[in-house]
């Protein structure tokens, strides 16, 4: 059984206790810090007072970024697969 850590993350003036695997700690702390930075940016730019609205805007930004990276990445990988198939055909034709 793997060991777990108990940590507390502060997001939008609330503390969230979590039980995580040690290898998750750095990523979670960086994510929490990035959320805090984004919250401050939205609060300064848009005069939003409700934390729920700011958190919804953060969630939308993170989700759209992840989805766009997925869409961009899938196009690149399918292009790479196509190029590999073309190379394979070229090699086969040269060996025949």
């Amino acid at each position: 059984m793997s060991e777990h850590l108990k940590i507390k993350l502060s997001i939008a003036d609330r503390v969230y206790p979590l039980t995580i695997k040690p290898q998750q700690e750095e990523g979670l702390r960086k994510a929490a810090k990035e959320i805090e930075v984004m919250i401050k940016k939205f609060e300064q730019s848009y005069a939003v007072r409700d934390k729920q609205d700011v958190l919804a805007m953060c969630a939308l930004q993170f989700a759209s970024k992840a989805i766009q990276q997925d869409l961009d990445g899938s196009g690149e990988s399918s292009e790479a697969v196509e190029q590999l198939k073309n190379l394979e055909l070229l090699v086969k034709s040269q060996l025949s």
Side-chain angles (χ1 to χ4, degrees):
M1 185 186 286
S2 64
E3 289 188 31
H4 286 82
L5 293 175
K6 292 187 178 199
I7 66 169
K8 293 180 181 180
L9 293 179
S10 177
I11 300 172
D13 300 327
R14 287 194 182 184
V15 176
Y16 297 91
L18 301 171
T19 302
I20 61 166
K21 294 179 183 178
Q23 61 269 27
Q24 294 176 303
E25 183 178 13
E26 183 179 3
L28 286 169
R29 290 196 186 279
K30 284 183 179 181
K33 187 173 183 177
E34 201 170 320
I35 291 168
E36 286 296 321
V37 168
M38 194 177 291
I39 286 171
K40 287 180 185 174
K41 179 181 162 188
F42 282 133
E43 286 177 335
Q44 291 172 353
S45 298
Y46 298 108
V48 179
R49 293 187 181 142
D50 187 5
K51 290 288 186 187
Q52 185 172 347
D53 290 339
V54 176
L55 287 171
M57 292 165 59
C58 288
L60 178 62
Q61 180 123 359
F62 279 116
S64 66
K65 185 178 178 182
I67 289 170
Q68 191 60 50
Q69 286 176 344
D70 187 42
L71 292 173
D72 292 345
S74 65
E76 290 173 8
S77 64
S78 64
E79 184 178 319
V81 168
E82 189 63 36
Q83 288 177 347
L84 287 172
K85 286 180 182 177
N86 290 337
L87 283 172
E88 181 182 20
L89 290 173
L90 182 63
V91 168
K92 283 183 180 180
S93 70
Q94 293 299 315
L95 292 175
S96 300

